[in-house]
Amino acid sequence: MSRPREPEGFGPRPVYGDARPEPVEPAAHPPARRRFWRRRGVRIGAVATVLTLAGLAILVLVWTETGTHGMLVGSGLALLPVPLLIAGFLWLDRVAPGPWRYRIFAFAWGAFAATLVAMLANTFAARWIATGLPTASSREADLWGMAVVAPVVEESAKAAAILLLFLFRRHYFAGLVDGLVLAGIIGTGFAFTENILYLGRAYEENQTFGDSGPLATVTVTFIARIVFSPFAHPLFTAMAGIGFGLAAMTLARQRIRRVLLPVAGLLLAIALHSLWNGSAVMNGYAFLGAYAFVMAPVFGLLVWLAVWSRGGKLRTIRNQLPVYAQAGWLVPAEPVALSSLRIRKIARSLARHTHGDEARRAVADYQRAATTLALLRAQATQGRPAKDFAAREQALLTTMWQNKALAQPALTRAAYTTTPPQRHPWPPPPGTPHSPQRIPFAAPGSRPA
């Protein structure tokens, strides 16, 4: 029986044989203990504590502004677009989904930490404008606060979370989609808390003055913020996320570009936010013009860019995995099967119906490892290999090898189900170029030569 060989160009020599990889012998001297603040549990605990304290502070501030009934009504109304927005970003991240802890951190940062910083800074700025510009009218003060101060403060606070993950979890950023999805979830969390505040205030105002009907303040606020522009904050923050995603795709020697791209993304986010807030302060026609000629086209362009970039990840999988098939780690059909979301879903369903949920999880782990492996090798072939490329490649290959007994038959059968072989009833005429031949599928469970 032949054994898989090492792919050319990158990575250590893989572990051979059908058994699990041999355990690594312990070092002669135990590794030095990490410093207290570098321990993973300490860092996770510190981040969780900060976000919890920020959440409690935001809860108190919102309750002070809206009251109990206003906060409950605002929370219920503000929650309506959140599942749709999160589902959209998770759909974009289906090819190579990131860890759930990063997504939870992103939403919590936007909903608690960034909102707390924005509320405190905006309140301070409003007082400074009122005292520092005594000759300015109330409209000019609102324009300064909403169109100049608020965009800078809010977008900088939201982008701080992306910067933290970019600095300390660089492996998360494999391309443009990763930064966009992360920024979109942060913006969704920020918009959720901000909508609670605005809707809660509107509800309390209606209760105080007895307004009701279609022109009530809470109704107008709900239509403007929940119906027509639920994507506003995710769209603004996505500009900064795209900047960080593009920076992660630069070469190590391109340090200036790596710094300028996130800064340019943040400035673009501030500009869009400023235009949006300024049009809302001026008049209804300016607001509708900004919505129709700026926000809607930018949103459509962003959706197209995200879908195109997600397709680029699938093309990367199809182009990078054949080297592992040639080395014997994959059957010939798998690079094509793993580059199709439909085939991957069918493979998971087949594994679950045949062997249960444990098999489905094994196939999902196999697909996730293969996707990460392809993206990791693509970075190396493009001249920006990860520092721990060899160790990560071997770990991913080991994960795939442990799950291949269930994953490879499921993927092969799914590929047969969705793309049956083409049969020609007669040979092509002389001189006609032959069409590409289908790569023969290996039998389920067999190993390639």
Side-chain angles (χ1 to χ4, degrees):
M1 180 180 295
S2 60
R3 294 176 175 178
R5 55 186 175 83
E6 178 183 358
E8 297 178 0
F10 300 99
R13 185 170 297 279
V15 181
Y16 299 135
D18 294 321
R20 292 175 178 265
E22 296 180 1
V24 179
E25 296 182 1
H29 301 282
R33 297 182 63 183
R34 293 184 178 181
R35 295 182 180 180
F36 179 78
W37 60 274
R38 290 196 175 191
R39 297 178 183 176
R40 181 180 180 185
V42 173
R43 289 181 294 182
I44 294 177
V47 172
T49 302
V50 170
L51 293 178
T52 301
L53 293 177
L56 293 176
I58 278 293
L59 182 65
V60 173
L61 290 176
V62 173
W63 177 77
T64 304
E65 292 282 341
T66 63
T68 304
H69 294 287
M71 187 173 66
L72 293 176
V73 172
S75 300
L77 296 177
L79 187 62
L80 294 178
V82 172
L84 297 177
L85 292 172
I86 296 296
F89 290 118
L90 296 183
W91 178 82
L92 288 176
D93 206 27
R94 283 177 60 196
V95 178
W100 273 100
R101 61 181 180 273
Y102 296 160
R103 301 172 180 176
I104 295 173
F105 165 77
F107 186 86
W109 182 278
F112 305 143
T115 313
L116 178 62
V117 172
M119 288 184 65
L120 296 178
N122 289 339
T123 302
F124 175 79
R127 294 176 181 176
W128 178 81
I129 292 174
T131 57
L133 299 175
T135 59
S137 62
S138 59
R139 183 176 180 180
E140 292 177 351
D142 290 341
L143 187 61
W144 271 96
M146 294 186 63
V148 178
V149 178
V152 175
V153 172
E154 294 176 6
E155 296 307 322
S156 299
K158 289 184 286 183
I162 313 175
L163 177 62
L164 289 175
L165 289 177
F166 185 79
L167 294 177
F168 299 103
R169 292 294 183 269
R170 180 69 61 84
H171 62 271
Y172 174 83
F173 291 85
L176 184 147
V177 172
D178 300 316
L180 190 153
V181 169
L182 181 67
I185 295 177
I186 295 172
T188 302
F190 188 94
F192 170 67
T193 304
E194 190 181 62
N195 288 336
I196 294 176
L197 183 63
Y198 278 91
L199 291 168
R201 286 175 178 174
Y203 177 80
E204 288 297 319
E205 181 179 341
N206 290 155
Q207 296 299 313
T208 302
F209 296 101
D211 295 336
S212 60
L215 297 180
T217 306
V218 66
T219 305
V220 175
T221 305
F222 176 81
I223 294 175
R225 300 188 67 88
I226 306 299
V227 178
F228 281 100
S229 59
F231 57 86
H233 275 289
L235 177 63
F236 303 148
T237 316
M239 300 296 108
I242 291 175
F244 280 99
L246 294 176
M249 298 170 62
T250 58
L251 301 178
R253 63 177 182 271
Q254 298 173 330
R255 297 181 179 180
I256 297 178
R257 185 178 300 179
R258 183 169 293 185
V259 174
L260 292 181
L261 286 173
V263 173
L266 177 60
L267 292 178
L268 183 57
I270 294 174
L272 285 176
H273 198 160
S274 178
L275 176 65
W276 178 252
N277 285 2
S279 65
V281 173
M282 294 177 64
N283 54 61
Y285 293 106
F287 178 79
L288 293 177
Y291 185 89
F293 297 105
V294 178
M295 295 292 292
V298 171
F299 178 74
L301 181 62
L302 184 66
V303 172
W304 173 85
L305 180 63
V307 174
W308 175 83
S309 183
R310 193 184 78 156
K313 280 190 175 183
L314 294 174
R315 292 187 294 270
T316 299
I317 295 171
R318 187 163 187 168
N319 295 332
Q320 295 296 331
L321 288 184
V323 66
Y324 295 99
Q326 295 173 3
W329 289 93
L330 306 176
V331 297
E334 285 185 274
V336 178
L338 289 167
S339 64
S340 171
L341 293 177
R342 182 188 176 200
I343 296 179
R344 291 165 64 153
K345 182 178 179 180
I346 293 175
R348 294 192 298 269
S349 300
L350 289 174
R352 181 174 60 85
H353 286 300
T354 306
H355 300 286
D357 288 334
E358 184 178 356
R360 181 192 62 81
R361 288 191 293 269
V363 175
D365 291 342
Y366 186 90
Q367 294 172 349
R368 191 178 303 112
T371 301
T372 307
L373 181 64
L375 298 177
L376 184 69
R377 188 174 180 85
Q379 292 179 359
T381 56
Q382 293 168 4
R384 45 189 182 91
K387 295 181 180 179
D388 56 346
F389 177 89
R392 291 180 61 189
E393 184 191 43
Q394 180 148 2
L396 293 169
L397 288 172
T398 301
T399 300
M400 295 173 62
W401 190 258
Q402 293 171 352
N403 295 310
K404 75 179 185 66
L406 293 171
Q408 285 185 346
L411 285 167
T412 304
R413 185 178 174 187
Y416 263 125
T417 304
T418 57
T419 56
Q422 301 292 331
R423 296 183 178 179
H424 300 280
W426 56 80
T432 303
H434 295 278
S435 59
Q437 297 296 320
R438 176 177 297 278
I439 299 177
F441 292 94
S446 64
R447 296 182 57 186

